[in-house]
Amino acid sequence: MALHSSMLTWVNAAGLAESLYFIIALPLLGAFISGVFGRLLGRANVNLLATAAVAGSFMLSLLVFAAINNAGVTAPNPFGDAVPYALGHDYGTWFAAGGFRVNFGLAVDHLSGTLLLVITGVGTLIHLYSTSYMEHDEGYWRFFAYLNLFVAMMLTLVMADNLVLLFVGWEGVGMCSYLLIGFWYKNPAYAFAGRKAFITNRVGDFGFLLGSFLLVLMVAALPAQAPSQAGRLEAGAAQVGPLNLRGVGALATALPYSAAKAPGAEVTLESRVASGPLAGFTYGGVLTAALLLFLLGAAGKSAQVPLYVWLPDAMAGPTPVSALIHAATMVTAGVYLFCRLSPLLVLSPAAMATVALIGGTTALLAALIAFTQNDIKKVLAYSTVSQLGLMFLGVGVGAFWAAAFHLVTHAFFKACLFLGAGSVMHGNGDETDIQKLGGLRKEMKVTWATFAVATLAITGVVPLSGFFSKDAILHAAHTHVVPGFEGAMHVAYALGLLTALSTAFYMTRAYVLAFEGERSKDAKVPHAHESAAAMTAPLVVLAVLSVLGAAWAFPLLPGTHEPVFENFLLPVFSVTEQVRAAAGTVLVPDHAGLPWGAYVQAWVIALIGAGSAFFLYTRFFPSRAGQPLPAALAFARNLSRNKFYADELYEAVLIRPLKFVARLAYQVLDALVIDTVAVRGTAWVTAQVGSALRLIQTGDVQAYAAIMAAAALGGIVYALSRVMP
Amino acid sequence: MNIPSLTFLDFQPVLPALLLAVGGIVLLLTEVFQSAATINRAYQSMVALAFSAVAGAVAAATTLEPAREVFLGFGVSDPFSGAVTVLVCVGLGLSVLVSAGFLRHRNAERGEFYALLLFAGAGMSLLAMSNEFITLFINLEVMSVSTYALSAWLRRGTRPSEAGFKYFILGAFSAAILVYGASLLYGATGTTKLSELAGLLPAAVASNPGLTYLGAGLVAVGLAFKVAAVPFHMWTPDVYEGAPTPVSALMSAGVKATAFASLVRVFLPFAQDLGPNHAQLMTYAFAALALLTMVVGNLMALPQRNVKRMLAYSSVAHAGYLLLGVAALFARPTGGEGPLAVTPLLAGAEGAARQQTLQAILFYLLAYTVTSLGSFGALAALERREDEPRGTAWDLEKFAGLSQRKPGWALAMAAMMLSLGGIPPTVGFMGKLFIFRAAVDAGLVWLAVAGVLASAAGVYYYLRVVVYMYMRPSQDGVTVPERQWTTELALVLSTAAVVLLGVAPGTLSAWLGKASVLFSQ
């Protein structure tokens, strides 16, 4: 860090903060140029432009990242003291209505700074990869325009300093995801998958919006009731608006957990709201409701139960899209959101337990489905859902740094896996069925090596990054105590362990079927060919990062006992820590040294899972080819292969009734009342009146004069009748 | 006999009008020297254009000088009159540009035409300054007589003479009403000067309300005729249709703008506290006129397939929106209940609110001037000789497929239609926004709602033109109209103004804000 500060004395922090928008503007400009002039510019220019736009953003992100490692760099904070290790700039009022206002502001701290690097770094690699992957596609300019736009929106999401701007990015990435899933829109199934993603996300977005409204109401209600407690909150909200992310911390600080914990406080979470639309509800209840609504939003974006169903279908898009959007960046937005809301989350143990259980359930359910999927991208998709579940599990038990850590390492190895799968498809005539691959180890050496490294990383084998990040979550689930919800946390921990076991199994299965053994007789092309350097180079970089990411898990910094990444995120979560300590909702044991016991346990689990899959799919099943499975196993396999009939259940319970109501509304309300009566009826009446008025216009000048005279007379008589005594 | 002592300062404000008159005289005199052998009239439109440009520039340069009385109080020179003169000159210039091609195409270009245009412009400029009833009447007639003659310019067809004659008869009728009303007001107050009227009105209303209001009502009728307010609009469609299209354009822009300026000037003295029985009577009168004009104008334009008549009714409707602004200008806080109870949102800032409203009216006049000239200009470019069967010269079918034949013209016409309909990003939208905002601020919320609804109905017939241009195939045998660079220049200028002012109205609103100052004692 000292090195950084000496290197960066030439960077003007204030100027850098003001220029933060450049990071977003570059890919936005790239999207505009590719989208509007892409066809004119030609393929090579678009490739160069789009990749350079994101690479430029990456360079700027590096600069910003270096700057925020400087202790002297602070971001302004209208809710209190300036935030250390952060940059921020407020560009002024975005919009205001009455007392409510939203400012347009960007901020980068250690969390968003890390994500900036992931988004632009992995984004650059994936752009580079796409230049080769999309080399035969006519829609290349559209593709790169969408991809650049996505990067811009994702950067908006993580750099926003308030929930409204964050929501802009949130919706923007959703839109780009929709456009890219349905990129090959001529295939109706793909277009349908795009719509499914969009609509599922919209359900979650309502949760996000409603949660934001509840937060606004709370910020509005609190100062009136407890002026001494909420002074800073009120002042800050008046300056930059109630939905500022710093305001989230200020709100959490202004709300003590209970009267017992904070004697003398005017308002605690147990008090009831005195005025406004929320009058009568307790602050704690409203807070939990808001957090659960945000959870719904996050579940939509991050594919958690019950809104996970869109992500596997999203694999209809081009593979680089799956790697960038549906593995590395967009789907982690929910985790990011909850890291930002963490000061409030630790005030609501009920919400925490819900998050943890949702995460654990999702993780295990998706892992079980992944057991039997034969489409390599589907396996990876369910694996993503499962890993996201683990991140939510981490958030739910209060291990925010671990969740963020897993987010980063997952971005590396999952992007590597997806791109590897893309490379496999590219070399095998777009074959995605792992049953029809096999033996690629010898034919696609680079792809094989990188895929193997990434598989080991996700499986959780020492010493790769995935092991440490996953273990950090499981360890926290094991040791953190949430008073009142111990049982739920035990369940979550058990779900996590089972997920780890399953992950090792299905990932090894996919790897073995695709790369080991002999080439399948059903293969589309007799010999696979290795992909071009533009595709393999990103694979190598990502594989190396999957290994090196582990370094952040060790307590390498002198004088501290936390892992590097936890220490690194301390300034981000300092408010959360204060609120947690004061509220006593999560008891975190002092963890000196590395948890060796947990490491061994996790390692054994990974080995069991991976070993059994390796044995089954290289020895056991090939030797028993042609023989039927035992009935119980066949039943389990069908259940898993049919995704536990989740889609069918949604169809019967939600979609059919909704469609019925929609059809009713369309026929009665829209077609009859609005179209026929309101729209056509009004038009008809208006036209009739107009035609009738034409009859007065006879063209006869005497008649005109008579009408004028009569009108004048009438008006004047009326006026005189009013004023004459 | 008293010889009034006039100085140069008295003449300086009328300089634009003098310039226009001189331009007219130059054109008349040079026309005399044209001989059949060496006939060349190409210079005439340029001369007229140059004089209107210089007059406009002079007016613009002196607009922001402090308000004062000139000619012994018979006229005033204030920023408002200067701004109206600038508007008139803009309208004149565009109209001259459109006329050049239009007349040449019909072999009807003469110096007298441009001279009459310039004389009408001089009358308009002076009318905007008139602050006394007799002066006002004379200037009104200077303007009107020129336009009567211009309406019948293409005298070979039946419709132009019909239009000119109708306009003349009804105009004379309304002018007589105006003069009669002015004389009654003189009887009630003993003055014809508007600057003295304000002080004398309370006493006159108290002692002789009938006479005063009769006079005021008749003056209002006379001016309502000029602005084509319903039910004094009956002449509008016939005259606009029969007159040469560039003249219709000038009538709908310049004549209307100055008539509104006059209306504002004459009736502002009535917008004071005249006693409990008289509160808001003028507001009510103008609100009723505005409502009728907006609704009837739009409704009657709906069934029109004749685009020129449609534009005539549209000009009636736009007079309604402007009357809404005038009603807002005169509205004073009263409180109380009822459909027209005025409870302004901007309490305690009557002066500032009034200036805002005046600014909105000026902006709307400007918006309508450029849009109306642009739309009539596009129509003039398209229309063929008038010897076609009645009504078909301007039929909607003429516009079918225009986007293929003349994409530039179609684009300009589309911009004009969007602006008339009040759709962003055009100046018409901003104009409506300002006017309706002024009305809401003045408390005339229901009237503003009616205005918005009426303009929603208007969108139908404006967009119908766009539909024909872009979504209907050309008729068989339609010839591509020949190009005239003057007309196209006018189209480019007005389209640019419509779009640029719609996107960035702030560039002018600063100037308009300073220009919306009326002289007052």
Side-chain angles (χ1 to χ4, degrees), chain B residues 322-345:
Chain B
L322 279 161
L323 281 169
L324 175 59
V326 174
L329 188 68
F330 296 154
R332 296 179 59 256
T334 56
E337 295 294 314
L340 274 173
V342 175
T343 44
L345 305 175

Coordinates of all heavy atoms in Angstrom, one line a residue, chain B residues 322-345:
Chain B
L322 N -53.9 30.9 -27.5 CA -53.3 32.2 -27.1 C -54.3 33.0 -26.2 O -53.9 33.7 -25.3 CB -53.0 33.0 -28.4 CG -51.7 32.6 -29.0 CD1 -51.7 33.1 -30.5 CD2 -50.6 33.3 -28.3
L323 N -55.6 32.8 -26.5 CA -56.6 33.5 -25.7 C -56.6 32.9 -24.2 O -56.8 33.6 -23.3 CB -58.0 33.3 -26.2 CG -58.3 34.2 -27.4 CD1 -59.6 33.8 -28.1 CD2 -58.5 35.7 -26.9
L324 N -56.2 31.6 -24.1 CA -56.0 31.0 -22.8 C -54.9 31.8 -22.1 O -55.1 32.1 -20.9 CB -55.7 29.6 -23.0 CG -55.3 28.8 -21.8 CD1 -56.5 28.8 -20.8 CD2 -55.0 27.3 -22.2
G325 N -53.9 32.1 -22.8 CA -52.8 32.9 -22.2 C -53.3 34.3 -21.8 O -52.9 34.8 -20.7
V326 N -54.1 34.9 -22.7 CA -54.6 36.2 -22.3 C -55.5 36.2 -21.1 O -55.4 37.0 -20.2 CB -55.4 36.8 -23.6 CG1 -56.0 38.1 -23.2 CG2 -54.4 37.0 -24.7
A327 N -56.3 35.2 -21.0 CA -57.2 35.0 -19.9 C -56.3 34.9 -18.6 O -56.6 35.5 -17.5 CB -58.1 33.8 -20.0
A328 N -55.2 34.1 -18.7 CA -54.4 33.9 -17.6 C -53.7 35.2 -17.2 O -53.4 35.5 -16.0 CB -53.3 32.9 -17.9
L329 N -53.4 36.0 -18.2 CA -52.7 37.3 -18.0 C -53.6 38.2 -17.2 O -53.2 38.9 -16.3 CB -52.4 37.9 -19.3 CG -51.6 39.2 -19.3 CD1 -50.2 38.8 -18.9 CD2 -51.5 39.8 -20.7
F330 N -54.9 38.2 -17.4 CA -55.9 39.1 -16.8 C -56.4 38.5 -15.4 O -57.0 39.2 -14.7 CB -57.0 39.4 -17.7 CG -56.7 40.1 -18.9 CD1 -57.4 40.1 -20.1 CD2 -55.5 40.9 -18.9 CE1 -57.0 40.7 -21.2 CE2 -55.1 41.6 -20.1 CZ -55.9 41.5 -21.2
A331 N -56.1 37.2 -15.2 CA -56.7 36.6 -14.0 C -56.1 37.3 -12.8 O -54.9 37.5 -12.7 CB -56.4 35.1 -14.0
R332 N -56.9 37.6 -11.8 CA -56.4 38.1 -10.6 C -57.0 37.2 -9.4 O -58.1 36.7 -9.6 CB -56.9 39.5 -10.4 CG -56.3 40.5 -11.4 CD -56.7 41.9 -11.3 NE -56.3 42.4 -10.0 CZ -57.2 42.6 -9.0 NH1 -58.4 42.3 -9.2 NH2 -56.8 43.1 -7.9
P333 N -56.2 37.1 -8.4 CA -56.7 36.2 -7.3 C -58.0 36.7 -6.7 O -58.2 37.8 -6.4 CB -55.6 36.3 -6.3 CG -54.8 37.5 -6.6 CD -54.9 37.7 -8.1
T334 N -59.0 35.8 -6.6 CA -60.2 36.1 -6.0 C -60.6 35.2 -4.8 O -61.2 35.6 -3.9 CB -61.4 36.0 -7.0 OG1 -61.4 34.7 -7.5 CG2 -61.3 37.0 -8.1
G335 N -60.1 34.0 -4.9 CA -60.5 33.0 -4.0 C -62.0 32.5 -4.3 O -62.5 32.9 -5.3
G336 N -62.6 31.8 -3.4 CA -63.9 31.4 -3.6 C -64.0 30.1 -4.3 O -63.0 29.5 -4.7
E337 N -65.3 29.7 -4.5 CA -65.5 28.4 -5.2 C -66.1 28.6 -6.5 O -66.4 29.7 -6.9 CB -66.5 27.6 -4.3 CG -65.9 27.2 -3.0 CD -64.7 26.2 -3.1 OE1 -64.8 25.3 -3.8 OE2 -63.7 26.5 -2.4
G338 N -66.3 27.6 -7.3 CA -66.9 27.7 -8.6 C -66.0 27.2 -9.7 O -64.8 27.1 -9.4
P339 N -66.6 27.0 -10.8 CA -65.7 26.4 -11.9 C -64.7 27.4 -12.4 O -63.6 26.9 -12.9 CB -66.8 26.1 -13.0 CG -67.9 27.0 -12.7 CD -68.0 27.1 -11.2
L340 N -64.9 28.6 -12.2 CA -63.9 29.6 -12.7 C -63.3 30.4 -11.6 O -62.7 31.4 -11.8 CB -64.5 30.5 -13.7 CG -64.5 30.0 -15.1 CD1 -65.3 31.0 -16.0 CD2 -63.1 29.9 -15.7
A341 N -63.4 29.9 -10.3 CA -62.8 30.5 -9.2 C -61.3 30.5 -9.4 O -60.7 29.5 -9.7 CB -63.2 29.8 -7.9
V342 N -60.7 31.7 -9.3 CA -59.3 31.8 -9.5 C -58.5 31.8 -8.2 O -58.6 32.7 -7.4 CB -59.0 33.1 -10.3 CG1 -57.5 33.3 -10.5 CG2 -59.7 33.1 -11.6
T343 N -57.8 30.7 -8.0 CA -57.0 30.6 -6.8 C -55.5 30.3 -7.3 O -55.1 29.2 -7.5 CB -57.4 29.5 -5.9 OG1 -57.7 28.3 -6.7 CG2 -58.6 29.8 -5.1
P344 N -54.8 31.4 -7.6 CA -53.5 31.2 -8.3 C -52.5 30.4 -7.4 O -52.6 30.6 -6.2 CB -53.1 32.6 -8.6 CG -53.7 33.4 -7.5 CD -55.0 32.8 -7.2
L345 N -51.7 29.7 -8.1 CA -50.7 29.0 -7.3 C -49.5 29.9 -7.0 O -48.7 29.6 -6.1 CB -50.2 27.8 -8.2 CG -51.3 26.9 -8.7 CD1 -50.7 25.8 -9.6 CD2 -51.9 26.2 -7.5

